[in-house]
Coordinates of all heavy atoms in Angstrom, one line a residue:
M1 N 139.0 188.1 104.6 CA 138.0 187.0 104.7 C 137.0 187.2 103.5 O 136.5 188.3 103.3 CB 137.2 187.1 106.0 CG 136.2 186.0 106.1 SD 135.5 185.9 107.8 CE 134.0 186.8 107.5
V2 N 136.8 186.1 102.8 CA 135.9 186.2 101.6 C 134.8 185.2 101.9 O 135.0 184.0 102.1 CB 136.6 185.8 100.3 CG1 135.7 185.8 99.2 CG2 137.7 186.8 100.1
D3 N 133.5 185.6 101.9 CA 132.4 184.8 102.0 C 131.8 184.6 100.7 O 131.8 185.6 99.9 CB 131.3 185.3 103.0 CG 131.8 185.2 104.5 OD1 132.8 184.6 104.7 OD2 131.1 185.8 105.3
I4 N 131.3 183.5 100.4 CA 130.6 183.2 99.1 C 129.1 182.9 99.3 O 128.8 182.5 100.4 CB 131.3 182.1 98.3 CG1 131.3 180.8 99.1 CG2 132.7 182.5 97.8 CD1 131.7 179.6 98.3
K5 N 128.3 183.3 98.4 CA 126.9 183.0 98.5 C 126.6 181.6 97.8 O 127.0 181.4 96.6 CB 126.0 184.1 97.8 CG 125.9 185.3 98.6 CD 124.9 186.3 97.9 CE 124.9 187.6 98.7 NZ 124.1 188.6 98.0
I6 N 125.9 180.8 98.5 CA 125.5 179.5 97.9 C 124.1 179.3 98.3 O 123.6 179.9 99.2 CB 126.4 178.3 98.3 CG1 126.3 178.1 99.9 CG2 127.8 178.5 97.9 CD1 127.1 176.9 100.3
K7 N 123.4 178.4 97.5 CA 122.0 178.1 97.8 C 121.9 176.6 98.1 O 122.4 175.8 97.3 CB 121.1 178.4 96.6 CG 120.9 179.9 96.4 CD 119.9 180.2 95.2 CE 119.7 181.7 95.0 NZ 118.9 181.9 93.8
I8 N 121.2 176.3 99.2 CA 121.0 174.9 99.6 C 119.5 174.7 99.8 O 118.9 175.4 100.6 CB 121.8 174.7 100.9 CG1 123.3 175.0 100.8 CG2 121.6 173.2 101.4 CD1 124.0 175.1 102.1
T9 N 119.0 173.7 99.1 CA 117.6 173.3 99.3 C 117.6 172.1 100.3 O 118.3 171.1 100.0 CB 117.0 172.9 98.0 OG1 117.0 174.0 97.1 CG2 115.5 172.5 98.2
D10 N 116.9 172.3 101.4 CA 116.9 171.3 102.4 C 116.0 170.1 102.1 O 115.4 170.1 101.0 CB 116.6 171.9 103.8 CG 115.2 172.4 103.9 OD1 114.3 172.0 103.2 OD2 115.0 173.3 104.8
R11 N 115.9 169.1 102.9 CA 115.1 167.9 102.6 C 113.6 168.1 102.7 O 112.9 167.3 102.3 CB 115.6 166.8 103.6 CG 117.0 166.3 103.3 CD 117.5 165.3 104.3 NE 118.8 164.8 103.9 CZ 119.7 164.5 104.7 NH1 119.5 164.6 106.0 NH2 120.9 164.1 104.3
E12 N 113.2 169.3 103.2 CA 111.8 169.6 103.2 C 111.4 170.5 101.9 O 110.3 170.9 101.8 CB 111.4 170.4 104.4 CG 111.2 169.5 105.6 CD 112.5 169.0 106.2 OE1 113.4 169.8 106.5 OE2 112.6 167.7 106.4
G13 N 112.4 170.8 101.1 CA 112.2 171.6 99.9 C 112.4 173.1 100.0 O 112.2 173.8 99.1
A14 N 112.8 173.6 101.2 CA 113.0 175.0 101.4 C 114.4 175.4 100.9 O 115.4 174.6 101.2 CB 112.8 175.4 102.9
T15 N 114.5 176.5 100.2 CA 115.8 176.9 99.7 C 116.3 178.0 100.6 O 115.6 178.9 100.9 CB 115.7 177.4 98.2 OG1 115.2 176.3 97.4 CG2 117.0 177.9 97.7
H16 N 117.6 177.9 100.9 CA 118.3 178.8 101.8 C 119.5 179.4 101.1 O 120.3 178.6 100.6 CB 118.8 178.1 103.1 CG 117.7 177.3 103.8 ND1 117.0 177.8 104.8 CD2 117.3 176.0 103.6 CE1 116.1 176.9 105.2 NE2 116.3 175.8 104.5
E17 N 119.5 180.7 101.0 CA 120.7 181.4 100.5 C 121.6 181.7 101.7 O 121.2 182.4 102.6 CB 120.4 182.6 99.7 CG 121.6 183.2 99.0 CD 121.2 184.3 98.0 OE1 120.5 184.0 97.0 OE2 121.6 185.4 98.2
V18 N 122.8 181.1 101.7 CA 123.7 181.3 102.9 C 125.0 181.8 102.5 O 125.4 181.7 101.3 CB 123.9 179.9 103.6 CG1 122.5 179.4 104.1 CG2 124.6 178.9 102.8
L19 N 125.7 182.4 103.4 CA 127.1 182.8 103.2 C 128.0 181.8 103.8 O 127.9 181.3 104.9 CB 127.4 184.2 103.9 CG 126.6 185.4 103.3 CD1 126.9 186.6 104.2 CD2 127.1 185.6 101.9
A20 N 129.0 181.3 103.0 CA 130.0 180.3 103.4 C 131.4 180.9 103.4 O 131.8 181.5 102.4 CB 129.9 179.1 102.5
P21 N 132.1 180.8 104.5 CA 133.4 181.4 104.6 C 134.4 180.5 103.7 O 134.3 179.3 103.7 CB 133.8 181.3 106.1 CG 132.9 180.2 106.6 CD 131.7 180.2 105.8
T22 N 135.3 181.2 103.1 CA 136.3 180.5 102.3 C 137.7 180.4 103.0 O 138.6 179.8 102.4 CB 136.5 181.1 100.9 OG1 136.9 182.5 101.1 CG2 135.2 181.1 100.1
D23 N 137.8 181.0 104.1 CA 139.0 181.0 104.8 C 139.1 180.1 106.1 O 140.0 180.2 106.9 CB 139.3 182.5 105.3 CG 138.3 183.0 106.2 OD1 137.2 182.4 106.4 OD2 138.6 184.1 106.9
M24 N 138.2 179.2 106.2 CA 138.2 178.3 107.3 C 138.3 176.8 107.0 O 138.1 175.9 107.8 CB 136.9 178.5 108.1 CG 136.7 179.9 108.7 SD 135.2 180.2 109.5 CE 135.2 179.0 110.8
A25 N 138.7 176.5 105.7 CA 138.8 175.1 105.2 C 137.6 174.3 105.5 O 137.6 173.1 105.8 CB 140.0 174.5 105.9
M26 N 136.4 174.9 105.3 CA 135.1 174.2 105.5 C 134.7 173.5 104.2 O 135.1 174.0 103.1 CB 134.0 175.1 105.9 CG 134.2 175.7 107.3 SD 132.8 176.8 107.8 CE 131.5 175.6 108.2
N27 N 133.9 172.5 104.3 CA 133.3 171.9 103.1 C 131.8 172.1 103.2 O 131.3 172.6 104.2 CB 133.7 170.4 103.0 CG 133.3 169.6 104.2 OD1 132.1 169.7 104.6 ND2 134.2 168.8 104.7
L28 N 131.1 171.7 102.1 CA 129.7 171.9 102.0 C 128.9 171.3 103.2 O 128.0 171.9 103.8 CB 129.1 171.5 100.7 CG 127.6 171.6 100.4 CD1 127.2 173.1 100.5 CD2 127.2 171.0 99.1
M29 N 129.3 170.1 103.5 CA 128.6 169.4 104.6 C 128.7 170.2 105.9 O 127.7 170.3 106.7 CB 129.2 168.0 104.8 CG 128.7 167.1 106.0 SD 129.6 167.3 107.5 CE 131.2 166.6 107.1
E30 N 129.9 170.7 106.2 CA 130.1 171.5 107.4 C 129.2 172.8 107.4 O 128.7 173.2 108.4 CB 131.5 171.8 107.6 CG 132.4 170.6 107.9 CD 133.9 170.8 107.8 OE1 134.3 171.6 106.9 OE2 134.6 170.1 108.5
V31 N 129.1 173.4 106.2 CA 128.2 174.6 106.1 C 126.8 174.2 106.4 O 126.1 174.9 107.1 CB 128.4 175.2 104.7 CG1 127.3 176.3 104.5 CG2 129.8 175.7 104.4
V32 N 126.3 173.1 105.8 CA 124.9 172.6 106.1 C 124.7 172.4 107.6 O 123.7 172.8 108.2 CB 124.6 171.3 105.3 CG1 123.3 170.7 105.8 CG2 124.6 171.6 103.8
R33 N 125.7 171.8 108.2 CA 125.6 171.6 109.7 C 125.6 172.9 110.5 O 124.9 173.1 111.4 CB 126.8 170.7 110.1 CG 126.6 169.2 109.7 CD 127.8 168.4 110.0 NE 127.9 168.0 111.4 CZ 128.7 167.1 111.8 NH1 129.6 166.5 111.0 NH2 128.8 166.8 113.1
S34 N 126.5 173.8 110.1 CA 126.6 175.1 110.8 C 125.3 175.9 110.7 O 125.0 176.6 111.7 CB 127.8 175.9 110.3 OG 127.6 176.4 109.1
Y35 N 124.6 175.8 109.6 CA 123.3 176.5 109.5 C 122.2 175.7 109.9 O 121.0 176.1 109.8 CB 123.1 177.0 108.0 CG 123.9 178.2 107.7 CD1 125.1 178.2 107.1 CD2 123.3 179.5 107.9 CE1 125.8 179.3 106.7 CE2 124.0 180.6 107.6 CZ 125.2 180.6 107.0 OH 125.9 181.7 106.7
E36 N 122.4 174.5 110.4 CA 121.4 173.5 110.9 C 120.3 173.3 109.9 O 119.1 173.4 110.2 CB 120.8 174.0 112.2 CG 121.9 174.1 113.3 CD 121.3 174.6 114.7 OE1 120.2 175.1 114.7 OE2 122.1 174.6 115.6
L37 N 120.7 173.0 108.6 CA 119.8 172.8 107.5 C 119.4 171.3 107.4 O 118.6 171.0 106.5 CB 120.4 173.3 106.2 CG 120.7 174.8 106.2 CD1 121.3 175.1 104.8 CD2 119.5 175.6 106.5
A38 N 119.9 170.5 108.3 CA 119.5 169.1 108.4 C 119.5 168.7 109.8 O 120.3 169.2 110.6 CB 120.5 168.2 107.6
P39 N 118.6 167.8 110.3 CA 118.5 167.5 111.7 C 119.8 166.9 112.2 O 120.5 166.1 111.4 CB 117.4 166.4 111.7 CG 116.5 166.7 110.6 CD 117.5 167.2 109.5
E40 N 120.2 167.2 113.4 CA 121.4 166.7 114.0 C 121.5 165.2 113.9 O 120.5 164.5 114.1 CB 121.5 167.1 115.5 CG 122.7 166.7 116.2 CD 123.9 167.5 115.9 OE1 123.7 168.7 115.6 OE2 125.0 167.0 115.9
G41 N 122.6 164.6 113.5 CA 122.8 163.2 113.3 C 122.4 162.6 112.0 O 122.4 161.4 111.8
T42 N 121.9 163.5 111.1 CA 121.5 163.0 109.8 C 122.4 163.4 108.7 O 122.1 163.0 107.5 CB 120.0 163.4 109.5 OG1 120.0 164.9 109.3 CG2 119.0 163.0 110.5
I43 N 123.4 164.2 108.9 CA 124.3 164.6 107.9 C 125.7 164.6 108.5 O 125.9 165.0 109.6 CB 123.9 165.9 107.3 CG1 124.7 166.2 106.0 CG2 124.0 167.1 108.3 CD1 124.1 167.3 105.1
G44 N 126.7 164.1 107.7 CA 128.0 164.1 108.2 C 128.3 163.1 109.2 O 129.1 163.3 110.1
V45 N 127.6 162.0 109.2 CA 127.7 160.9 110.2 C 129.1 160.4 110.4 O 129.6 160.2 111.5 CB 126.7 159.8 109.9 CG1 126.8 158.6 110.9 CG2 125.2 160.3 109.9
C46 N 129.8 160.3 109.2 CA 131.2 159.7 109.3 C 132.2 160.8 109.6 O 133.4 160.5 109.6 CB 131.5 159.0 108.0 SG 131.8 160.1 106.6
G47 N 131.8 162.1 109.7 CA 132.7 163.2 110.0 C 133.4 163.7 108.8 O 134.4 164.4 108.9
G48 N 132.9 163.4 107.6 CA 133.5 164.0 106.4 C 134.6 163.1 105.8 O 135.4 163.7 105.1
M49 N 134.5 161.8 106.0 CA 135.5 160.9 105.5 C 135.1 160.2 104.2 O 135.8 159.3 103.8 CB 135.9 159.9 106.5 CG 136.3 160.5 107.9 SD 137.8 161.5 107.8 CE 139.0 160.3 107.4
A50 N 134.0 160.6 103.6 CA 133.5 160.0 102.4 C 133.2 158.5 102.6 O 133.4 157.7 101.8 CB 134.4 160.2 101.2
M51 N 132.6 158.2 103.8 CA 132.4 156.8 104.2 C 130.9 156.5 104.5 O 130.6 155.4 104.9 CB 133.3 156.4 105.4 CG 134.8 156.5 105.1 SD 135.8 156.2 106.5 CE 135.4 154.5 106.8
C52 N 130.0 157.5 104.3 CA 128.6 157.2 104.7 C 127.6 157.7 103.8 O 126.4 157.2 103.8 CB 128.4 157.7 106.1 SG 128.2 159.5 106.2
A53 N 127.9 158.7 103.0 CA 126.9 159.3 102.0 C 125.8 160.0 102.7 O 124.8 160.3 102.0 CB 126.4 158.2 101.0
S54 N 125.8 160.3 104.0 CA 124.7 161.0 104.6 C 124.7 162.5 104.1 O 123.7 163.1 104.3 CB 124.9 161.0 106.1 OG 126.0 161.6 106.6
C55 N 125.8 163.0 103.5 CA 125.8 164.3 103.0 C 125.6 164.4 101.5 O 125.9 165.5 100.9 CB 127.1 165.0 103.4 SG 128.6 164.3 102.7
Q56 N 125.1 163.3 100.9 CA 124.9 163.4 99.5 C 124.0 164.5 99.1 O 123.0 164.8 99.8 CB 124.3 162.1 99.0 CG 124.0 162.0 97.5 CD 123.2 160.8 97.1 OE1 122.9 160.7 95.9 NE2 122.8 159.9 97.9
C57 N 124.4 165.2 98.0 CA 123.5 166.3 97.5 C 123.5 166.2 96.0 O 124.3 165.5 95.4 CB 124.1 167.6 98.0 SG 125.7 168.0 97.4
Y58 N 122.6 166.9 95.4 CA 122.4 167.0 94.0 C 122.9 168.4 93.6 O 122.4 169.4 94.1 CB 121.0 166.8 93.5 CG 120.4 165.5 94.1 CD1 119.2 165.5 94.8 CD2 121.1 164.3 93.9 CE1 118.7 164.3 95.3 CE2 120.5 163.1 94.4 CZ 119.3 163.1 95.1 OH 118.8 162.0 95.6
V59 N 123.9 168.5 92.7 CA 124.4 169.8 92.3 C 123.5 170.3 91.2 O 123.3 169.7 90.1 CB 125.9 169.7 91.8 CG1 126.4 171.0 91.3 CG2 126.7 169.1 92.9
L60 N 122.9 171.5 91.4 CA 121.9 172.1 90.5 C 122.5 173.1 89.6 O 122.0 173.4 88.5 CB 120.7 172.7 91.3 CG 120.0 171.7 92.3 CD1 119.0 172.5 93.0 CD2 119.5 170.5 91.6
S61 N 123.6 173.7 90.0 CA 124.3 174.8 89.2 C 125.3 174.2 88.3 O 125.7 173.0 88.5 CB 124.9 175.8 90.1 OG 125.8 175.3 91.0
D62 N 125.9 175.0 87.4 CA 126.9 174.5 86.6 C 128.3 174.9 87.1 O 129.3 175.0 86.4 CB 126.8 174.9 85.1 CG 126.8 176.5 85.0 OD1 126.9 177.2 86.0 OD2 126.6 176.9 83.9
T63 N 128.4 175.0 88.4 CA 129.6 175.3 89.1 C 130.6 174.2 88.9 O 130.3 173.1 89.0 CB 129.4 175.5 90.6 OG1 128.3 176.4 90.8 CG2 130.6 176.0 91.3
E64 N 131.9 174.6 88.5 CA 132.9 173.6 88.3 C 133.4 173.1 89.6 O 134.0 173.9 90.4 CB 134.0 174.2 87.5 CG 135.0 173.1 87.0 CD 136.0 173.6 85.9 OE1 135.6 174.5 85.2 OE2 137.1 173.0 85.9
L65 N 133.2 171.8 89.9 CA 133.6 171.2 91.2 C 134.9 170.5 91.0 O 135.3 170.1 89.9 CB 132.5 170.2 91.6 CG 131.1 170.8 91.8 CD1 130.2 169.7 92.2 CD2 131.2 171.9 92.9
P66 N 135.6 170.2 92.1 CA 136.8 169.4 92.1 C 136.5 168.0 91.5 O 135.3 167.5 91.7 CB 137.3 169.3 93.5 CG 136.5 170.3 94.3 CD 135.3 170.6 93.5
E67 N 137.4 167.4 90.9 CA 137.2 166.1 90.4 C 136.9 165.1 91.5 O 137.4 165.2 92.6 CB 138.5 165.6 89.6 CG 138.3 164.4 88.8 CD 139.4 164.1 87.9 OE1 140.1 165.0 87.4 OE2 139.7 162.9 87.6
M68 N 136.0 164.2 91.2 CA 135.5 163.2 92.2 C 136.7 162.2 92.5 O 137.3 161.7 91.6 CB 134.3 162.4 91.7 CG 133.6 161.6 92.7 SD 132.2 160.7 92.1 CE 131.1 162.0 91.6
S69 N 136.9 162.0 93.8 CA 137.9 161.0 94.2 C 137.4 159.6 94.0 O 136.2 159.4 93.9 CB 138.4 161.3 95.6 OG 137.3 160.9 96.5
D70 N 138.3 158.6 94.0 CA 137.9 157.2 94.0 C 137.1 156.9 95.2 O 136.1 156.1 95.0 CB 139.2 156.3 93.9 CG 139.9 156.4 92.6 OD1 139.3 156.9 91.6 OD2 141.1 156.0 92.6
D71 N 137.4 157.4 96.4 CA 136.6 157.1 97.6 C 135.2 157.6 97.5 O 134.2 156.9 97.8 CB 137.3 157.7 98.8 CG 138.5 157.0 99.2 OD1 138.8 155.8 98.8 OD2 139.3 157.6 100.0
E72 N 135.0 158.8 96.9 CA 133.7 159.4 96.8 C 132.9 158.6 95.7 O 131.7 158.3 96.0 CB 133.8 160.9 96.3 CG 132.5 161.6 96.2 CD 132.6 163.0 95.7 OE1 133.7 163.5 95.4 OE2 131.5 163.7 95.7
D73 N 133.5 158.3 94.6 CA 132.9 157.5 93.6 C 132.4 156.2 94.1 O 131.3 155.7 93.9 CB 133.8 157.3 92.4 CG 133.2 156.8 91.2 OD1 132.0 157.1 90.9 OD2 133.8 156.0 90.4
A74 N 133.3 155.5 94.9 CA 132.9 154.2 95.5 C 131.7 154.3 96.5 O 130.8 153.5 96.5 CB 134.1 153.6 96.2
M75 N 131.7 155.4 97.3 CA 130.7 155.6 98.2 C 129.3 155.8 97.5 O 128.3 155.3 97.9 CB 131.0 156.7 99.2 CG 130.1 156.9 100.4 SD 130.2 155.5 101.5 CE 128.6 154.7 101.2
L76 N 129.4 156.7 96.5 CA 128.1 156.9 95.8 C 127.6 155.7 95.0 O 126.4 155.6 94.8 CB 128.4 158.1 94.8 CG 128.4 159.5 95.4 CD1 128.8 160.5 94.4 CD2 127.1 159.9 96.1
A77 N 128.5 154.8 94.7 CA 128.1 153.6 94.0 C 127.3 152.7 94.9 O 126.5 151.8 94.5 CB 129.3 152.8 93.5
E78 N 127.4 152.9 96.2 CA 126.7 152.1 97.2 C 125.5 152.8 97.9 O 124.8 152.3 98.7 CB 127.6 151.6 98.3 CG 128.8 150.7 97.8 CD 129.8 150.4 98.9 OE1 129.4 150.5 100.1 OE2 130.9 150.0 98.6
A79 N 125.4 154.1 97.6 CA 124.4 155.0 98.2 C 123.0 154.8 97.6 O 122.9 154.3 96.5 CB 124.8 156.4 98.2
F80 N 122.0 155.3 98.4 CA 120.6 155.3 97.9 C 120.4 156.7 97.2 O 121.0 157.6 97.5 CB 119.6 155.1 99.0 CG 119.7 153.8 99.7 CD1 120.4 153.6 100.9 CD2 119.2 152.6 99.1 CE1 120.5 152.4 101.5 CE2 119.3 151.4 99.7 CZ 120.0 151.3 100.9
Y81 N 119.4 156.7 96.4 CA 118.9 158.0 95.7 C 119.9 158.7 94.9 O 119.9 159.9 94.8 CB 118.3 158.9 96.8 CG 117.4 158.3 97.8 CD1 117.7 158.2 99.1 CD2 116.1 157.8 97.3 CE1 116.8 157.6 100.0 CE2 115.3 157.2 98.2 CZ 115.6 157.1 99.6 OH 114.7 156.5 100.4
V82 N 120.9 157.9 94.3 CA 122.0 158.5 93.6 C 121.4 159.0 92.2 O 120.7 158.2 91.6 CB 123.2 157.6 93.4 CG1 124.2 158.1 92.5 CG2 123.7 157.2 94.8
K83 N 121.9 160.2 91.8 CA 121.5 160.7 90.5 C 122.8 161.1 89.7 O 123.9 161.0 90.3 CB 120.6 162.0 90.6 CG 119.3 161.7 91.3 CD 118.5 163.1 91.3 CE 117.2 162.9 92.0 NZ 116.5 164.2 92.0
E84 N 122.7 161.4 88.5 CA 123.8 161.9 87.6 C 124.6 163.0 88.3 O 125.8 163.1 88.2 CB 123.3 162.3 86.3 CG 123.0 161.2 85.3 CD 124.2 160.6 84.7 OE1 125.2 161.3 84.3 OE2 124.2 159.3 84.6
N85 N 123.9 163.9 89.0 CA 124.5 165.1 89.6 C 124.8 164.9 91.1 O 125.0 165.9 91.8 CB 123.7 166.3 89.3 CG 122.2 166.2 89.9 OD1 121.8 165.1 90.2 ND2 121.6 167.3 90.0
S86 N 124.8 163.7 91.6 CA 125.1 163.4 93.0 C 126.6 163.7 93.3 O 127.5 163.3 92.5 CB 124.8 162.0 93.4 OG 123.4 161.8 93.4
R87 N 126.8 164.3 94.4 CA 128.2 164.5 95.0 C 128.0 164.4 96.5 O 126.9 164.5 97.1 CB 128.8 165.8 94.7 CG 129.1 166.0 93.2 CD 130.3 165.2 92.7 NE 131.5 165.3 93.4 CZ 132.5 166.0 93.0 NH1 132.5 166.7 91.8 NH2 133.7 166.1 93.7
L88 N 129.1 164.1 97.2 CA 129.2 164.1 98.6 C 129.6 165.5 99.1 O 130.6 166.1 98.7 CB 130.1 163.1 99.2 CG 129.8 161.6 98.9 CD1 130.9 160.7 99.5 CD2 128.5 161.2 99.3
G89 N 128.7 166.1 99.9 CA 129.0 167.5 100.4 C 130.3 167.6 101.1 O 131.0 168.7 101.1
C90 N 130.8 166.5 101.8 CA 132.1 166.6 102.5 C 133.3 166.7 101.6 O 134.4 167.0 102.0 CB 132.2 165.4 103.4 SG 132.4 163.8 102.6
Q91 N 133.0 166.5 100.3 CA 134.1 166.5 99.3 C 134.1 167.8 98.5 O 134.8 167.9 97.5 CB 134.0 165.2 98.4 CG 134.1 163.9 99.2 CD 135.4 163.8 99.9 OE1 136.5 163.8 99.3 NE2 135.4 163.7 101.3
I92 N 133.2 168.7 98.8 CA 133.2 170.0 98.1 C 133.7 171.1 99.0 O 133.0 171.6 99.9 CB 131.7 170.3 97.6 CG1 131.2 169.2 96.8 CG2 131.6 171.6 96.9 CD1 129.7 169.3 96.4
P93 N 134.9 171.5 98.8 CA 135.5 172.6 99.6 C 134.9 173.9 99.3 O 134.6 174.2 98.2 CB 137.0 172.5 99.3 CG 137.0 172.0 97.9 CD 135.9 171.0 97.8
M94 N 134.8 174.7 100.4 CA 134.3 176.1 100.2 C 135.5 177.0 99.8 O 136.3 177.4 100.6 CB 133.6 176.6 101.5 CG 132.3 175.9 101.8 SD 131.0 176.1 100.6 CE 131.1 174.7 99.6
T95 N 135.5 177.3 98.5 CA 136.6 178.1 97.9 C 135.9 179.2 97.2 O 134.7 179.1 96.8 CB 137.5 177.3 97.0 OG1 136.7 176.8 95.9 CG2 138.2 176.1 97.7
P96 N 136.6 180.3 96.8 CA 136.0 181.4 96.1 C 135.4 180.9 94.8 O 134.3 181.5 94.3 CB 137.1 182.4 95.8 CG 138.0 182.2 97.0 CD 138.0 180.7 97.3
E97 N 135.9 179.8 94.2 CA 135.4 179.3 92.9 C 134.0 178.7 93.1 O 133.3 178.5 92.1 CB 136.3 178.2 92.4 CG 137.7 178.8 91.9 CD 138.6 179.0 93.1 OE1 138.5 178.4 94.1 OE2 139.5 179.9 92.9
M98 N 133.5 178.4 94.3 CA 132.2 177.8 94.6 C 131.1 178.9 94.6 O 129.9 178.5 94.9 CB 132.2 177.0 95.9 CG 133.1 175.8 95.8 SD 132.7 174.6 94.6 CE 134.1 174.8 93.5
E99 N 131.4 180.2 94.5 CA 130.4 181.2 94.5 C 129.3 180.9 93.5 O 129.5 180.4 92.4 CB 131.1 182.5 94.0 CG 130.1 183.7 93.8 CD 129.7 184.3 95.1 OE1 130.5 184.5 96.0 OE2 128.4 184.6 95.2
G100 N 128.1 181.0 94.0 CA 126.9 180.7 93.2 C 126.5 179.2 93.2 O 125.5 178.8 92.5
L101 N 127.2 178.3 93.9 CA 126.9 176.9 93.9 C 125.4 176.7 94.4 O 125.0 177.4 95.4 CB 127.8 176.2 94.9 CG 127.6 174.7 95.2 CD1 127.8 173.9 93.9 CD2 128.4 174.2 96.3
E102 N 124.7 175.9 93.8 CA 123.3 175.5 94.2 C 123.2 174.0 94.3 O 123.5 173.3 93.3 CB 122.3 176.0 93.1 CG 122.2 177.6 93.1 CD 121.1 178.0 92.1 OE1 120.1 177.4 92.0 OE2 121.4 179.0 91.4
V103 N 122.8 173.6 95.5 CA 122.6 172.1 95.7 C 121.3 171.8 96.4 O 120.7 172.7 97.0 CB 123.8 171.6 96.6 CG1 125.1 171.7 95.9 CG2 123.8 172.2 97.9
E104 N 120.9 170.6 96.3 CA 119.7 170.1 97.0 C 120.2 168.9 97.8 O 120.8 168.0 97.2 CB 118.6 169.7 96.0 CG 117.4 169.1 96.6 CD 116.4 168.6 95.6 OE1 116.6 168.8 94.4 OE2 115.5 167.9 96.0
L105 N 119.8 168.8 99.0 CA 120.2 167.7 99.9 C 119.4 166.5 99.4 O 118.2 166.5 99.2 CB 120.0 168.0 101.3 CG 120.7 169.2 101.9 CD1 120.4 169.3 103.4 CD2 122.2 169.1 101.7
A106 N 120.1 165.3 99.3 CA 119.4 164.1 98.9 C 118.6 163.6 100.1 O 118.9 164.0 101.3 CB 120.5 163.0 98.6
P107 N 117.6 162.8 99.9 CA 116.8 162.3 101.0 C 117.6 161.5 102.0 O 118.6 160.9 101.6 CB 115.8 161.4 100.3 CG 115.7 161.8 98.9 CD 117.1 162.3 98.6
E108 N 117.2 161.5 103.2 CA 117.9 160.8 104.2 C 117.8 159.3 103.9 O 116.7 158.8 103.6 CB 117.4 161.1 105.6 CG 118.1 160.5 106.8 CD 117.5 160.9 108.1 OE1 116.6 161.7 108.2 OE2 118.0 160.2 109.1
S109 N 118.9 158.5 104.0 CA 118.7 157.1 103.7 C 119.0 156.3 105.0 O 119.4 156.7 106.0 CB 119.7 156.7 102.6 OG 121.0 157.1 102.8

């Protein structure tokens, strides 16, 4: 089992350094939910299907992420508070390559 360290800044501005497992097929949105870094019902509303943008985050580190899918791109085109570095947390898998990832949760929309 390999855990990676990532930093997540919640919607109140507090930064949390957390350990994320890489052997459970989790994504960033699920890590945020497991650590309860966003109120219940405000993140991952669609269950991680790239259909709601409730898990939008801003990538602060230069971590190389998987290429954005057409579904993710389309969802972000309709979302609020989108920035150049916006991604959907449900589309960022927790793999060893994500070590050192730093993100900030976008405001609730």
